[in-house]
Amino acid sequence: MQMTIRMPDEYRSRIEEVSEKTGLKKSDIARMAIKKFLEDFDVQARGDRTSAKAHDLIGVVNSGIPDLGTNHRRHLLNLMRDQKQ
């Protein structure tokens, strides 16, 4: 399917710049942006679930503490005690 869109000049020039730097076609950049928007929209449309709200954050942070998920309360209390001292 072919689609025509209107956009501000600054978007056009920025897309051209990204296209030159990456070697991607402008249509590829547009498809990637639309795909990202639709994925984000689907996450938001799933409702108010905590996992939906944190979708972009899940799996992003590595604390280096192997049992943080199961013993988070103990680690948090230890951290709070250490900060008081």
Side-chain angles (χ1 to χ4, degrees):
M1 174 181 112
Q2 185 173 352
M3 180 189 303
T4 303
I5 60 171
R6 291 189 172 109
M7 68 180 68
D9 286 340
E10 63 264 18
Y11 289 8
R12 181 190 51 77
S13 59
R14 184 70 177 115
I15 290 170
E16 288 175 357
E17 180 183 320
V18 170
S19 176
E20 289 175 14
K21 286 182 178 180
T22 63
L24 292 169
K25 295 178 183 178
K26 290 181 268 186
S27 58
D28 293 331
I29 295 168
R31 276 191 289 275
M32 291 167 64
I34 291 169
K35 181 179 184 251
K36 172 79 169 117
F37 172 83
L38 293 173
E39 289 169 352
D40 291 351
F41 181 82
D42 287 344
V43 168
Q44 292 173 1
R46 286 187 207 135
D48 226 11
R49 296 188 322 227
T50 303
S51 62
K53 288 180 180 179
H55 178 265
D56 293 341
L57 302 175
I58 295 173
V60 172
V61 178
N62 181 3
S63 69
I65 303 171
D67 65 340
L68 183 60
T70 53
N71 294 313
H72 61 277
R73 185 173 192 281
R74 180 173 52 90
H75 290 293
L76 183 58
L77 290 172
N78 288 340
L79 179 66
M80 291 169 54
R81 281 187 205 117
D82 291 345
Q83 288 180 350
K84 284 184 183 180
Q85 297 174 356

